[in-house]
Amino acid sequence: MPKPPMDAPQDHADDTDVDVEAVVDDASVTDPDDVVARVLTSAASRSSGYTLFGSGAAALQTGDTSGGSSDDGEQYDREDRQALRRVAGLSTELEDVTEVEYRQLRLENVVIIGVYPQGALHDAENSLRELAALAETAGAVVLDGLLQRKPHPDPSTYLGRGKAQELKSIVQALGADTVIADTELAPSQRRALEDAVGVKVIDRTAVILDIFSQHAKSREGKAQVELAQLEYLLPRLRGWGESMSRQAGGQVGGAGAGMGSRGPGETKIELDRRRIHTRMAKLRKSITAMKPAREAKRANRRRNTVPSVAIAGYTNAGKSSLLNRITKAGVLVENSLFATLDATVRRNVTSDGREYTLADTVGFVRNLPHQLVEAFRSTLEEVADSDVIVHVVDAAHPDPAGQIATVRDVIGEVGARHIPELVVFNKADLVDDGQLLVLRGLVPDAVFVSARTGLGIDELMERIETLIPSPSNEVHVIVPFDRGDLVTLLHERGKVLSTDYDERGTIVHALVGAELAAALAPFAEVVPAPIVAD
């Protein structure tokens, strides 16, 4: 069906199944190398004449907002990761999804799609732009986006029948080889949409799992990602022809099914399912076997009464940058989603000398796949076992309230709602005074910081010091001069109120934990009781 010219108005008033949003103006695109800039490139530059979802939202900020700080270290990991990126080559020769085994490895060109109910256009645009950033992070090139207003996704093909045909035309006109849906598709929806469009169809969950598989570095992280991928793959196995079709076999015929029912036994799809179940069991055992090492480290911190602070938040909110700014950790920092997955724990000291730990955790995202929440539960234990949660929010994001709600939902899933929470709006240098007022109204007691410039870091440290638990056992001890190690422990693990010296040793009045108080009992000084007047 021929399309109207670009400057001609498109009237969809009589089409109940197709709802294409307005074209984004060329002036909104300033950096052609930016993720969102490529997504928001004007439709006027396209020969197909299709429109893109509307403007007014973004998934990532333009420019380099996450790096540039001397506290980020050398960032060799970022250079290695960029060196392994696939580069654009010739377009794929794939014409139909059934020819997937003949397709050569190319940089994938994708079209993203979404469905939203009446009145939810802004949220749908934010979600679709976030999906575009996810696809770019996974190594694809986003060519176009398509939104349909519909109360509920079609149970058969996700999009309506007319919209599915329009999507097929867009895919053919742009030379795309993959379609990505903004929500998790049922296996039947995915197959039906592939049949209608003729190219590979995946969903948001598959993209997130692909990013996690690329960025996982530790042995535990790789095992967690593989487990999540297998849980996602298991109900979506499908055969390619008769060789994988289900058929009766073995003992089935002996169960009363009669003659002709004794097939040759397991076929390939049954073998695949059994192997997946076996592999998942091994991965669960492997992840469980890694738990004692983590528990030993946490038990050591608890035994030494070292408070722990977990840095949690939305992906790309600047958690790793904040950790680098505070502790000079040198953790990988990159303006992309899920740049770091493995938990990083670093030591820090309060202004009065007390030690505590800061843990950078995996980022969250809206519609985070439940497979990942379950697989990464061991990593998220850093949040559940912490004494304080520093909840980092991107102040420059178009939907900070949605970010806060998403992170709090995941915190609730891991059983950490009871832990004191300190909301920190990062990237405060990128917003104006009006937006700051809005954010203060959203969370009145929040702290505004900039990990890149160092704005508000001192206030953040003071707030953390007031929230971490303070030792409550009061001791008066005389430590001999040859036991200077105990004095050091008092400063590191307790709160020293006063220090004095005499010929017997160091006289210390301090607040300490129960275990340290027991260790100092032999050196306790008898404090005279106050004299009460008659």
Side-chain angles (χ1 to χ4, degrees), residues 22-29 39-44 52-55 129:
V23 179
V24 179
D25 187 24
D26 271 340
S28 64
V29 180
V39 177
L40 299 179
T41 302
S42 172
L52 192 65
F53 38 91
S55 61
R129 278 170 172 77

Side-chain angles (χ1 to χ4, degrees), residues 1 21 49 56 73 111 175 197 267 289 356 369 381 385 393 421 444 451:
M1 176 179 177
E21 304 302 330
V111 173
V197 178
T267 53
Y356 66 96
E381 287 174 359
D385 291 344
V393 184
E421 176 193 46

Side-chain angles (χ1 to χ4, degrees), residues 119-390:
L121 176 60
H122 183 70
D123 290 340
E125 288 183 345
N126 276 331
S127 182
L128 207 62
R129 278 170 172 77
E130 187 174 88
L131 178 62
L134 287 168
E136 291 277 357
T137 303
V141 175
V142 179
L143 301 179
D144 212 336
L146 203 61
L147 278 172
Q148 180 181 22
R149 186 173 64 243
K150 197 175 180 67
H152 302 285
D154 191 284
S156 175
T157 56
Y158 182 68
L159 298 176
R161 182 178 302 177
K163 202 68 165 183
Q165 291 302 314
E166 182 180 358
L167 176 62
K168 181 178 181 180
S169 301
I170 292 175
V171 167
Q172 292 177 348
L174 298 179
D177 50 29
T178 304
V179 172
I180 306 177
D182 193 30
T183 54
E184 186 168 331
L185 298 177
S188 59
Q189 286 178 316
R190 179 182 172 185
R191 288 194 297 268
L193 192 56
E194 280 183 347
D195 293 339
V197 178
V199 297
K200 180 176 68 173
V201 175
I202 59 176
D203 55 23
R204 185 188 188 94
T205 301
V207 177
I208 295 175
L209 290 172
D210 186 81
I211 296 172
F212 270 53
S213 67
Q214 293 182 44
H215 292 181
K217 294 179 62 179
S218 67
R219 186 165 62 96
E220 183 178 8
K222 292 177 180 178
Q224 290 167 333
V225 172
E226 185 180 355
L227 177 60
Q229 286 178 316
L230 292 176
E231 288 178 345
Y232 174 79
L233 175 64
L234 187 60
R236 291 168 174 81
L237 284 179
R238 61 181 297 187
W240 295 95
E242 296 297 326
S243 64
M244 293 183 69
S245 61
R246 179 177 293 278
Q247 52 188 296
Q251 299 299 318
V252 177
M259 293 184 293
S261 61
R262 298 177 183 86
E266 280 186 313
T267 53
K268 193 174 187 307
I269 195 167
E270 281 84 32
L271 286 170
D272 287 343
R273 288 197 180 104
R274 184 158 53 85
R275 288 168 180 164
I276 287 176
H277 279 296
T278 303
R279 179 61 180 165
M280 288 169 60
K282 290 181 179 179
L283 288 171
R284 289 192 179 99
K285 289 181 181 178
S286 176
I287 294 173
T288 304
M290 300 174 194
K291 188 173 183 179
R294 296 190 307 271
E295 287 296 334
K297 293 178 182 178
R298 295 193 188 109
N300 187 48
R301 294 199 295 265
R302 287 193 292 266
R303 183 170 60 255
N304 295 327
T305 63
V306 178
S308 61
V309 178
I311 303 177
Y314 212 78
T315 181
N316 205 49
K319 300 181 297 300
S320 299
S321 298
L322 194 61
L323 181 68
N324 289 344
R325 168 64 66 172
I326 296 173
T327 67
K328 307 293 191 294
V331 179
L332 172 68
V333 172
E334 191 176 22
N335 186 25
S336 65
L337 308 185
F338 299 114
T340 52
L341 302 180
D342 301 313
T344 303
V345 182
R346 292 292 184 269
R347 170 184 173 273
N348 203 33
V349 182
T350 63
S351 59
D352 55 3
R354 288 178 293 155
E355 284 187 336
Y356 66 96
T357 60
L358 274 169
D360 178 22
T361 60
V362 63
F364 306 139
V365 72
R366 69 177 75 193
N367 301 323
L368 187 68
H370 69 277
Q371 297 98 334
L372 282 174
V373 176
E374 290 300 320
F376 276 77
R377 187 168 294 276
S378 58
T379 301
L380 296 175
E381 287 174 359
E382 290 290 347
V383 177
D385 291 344
S386 63
D387 297 299
V388 178
I389 297 176
V390 175

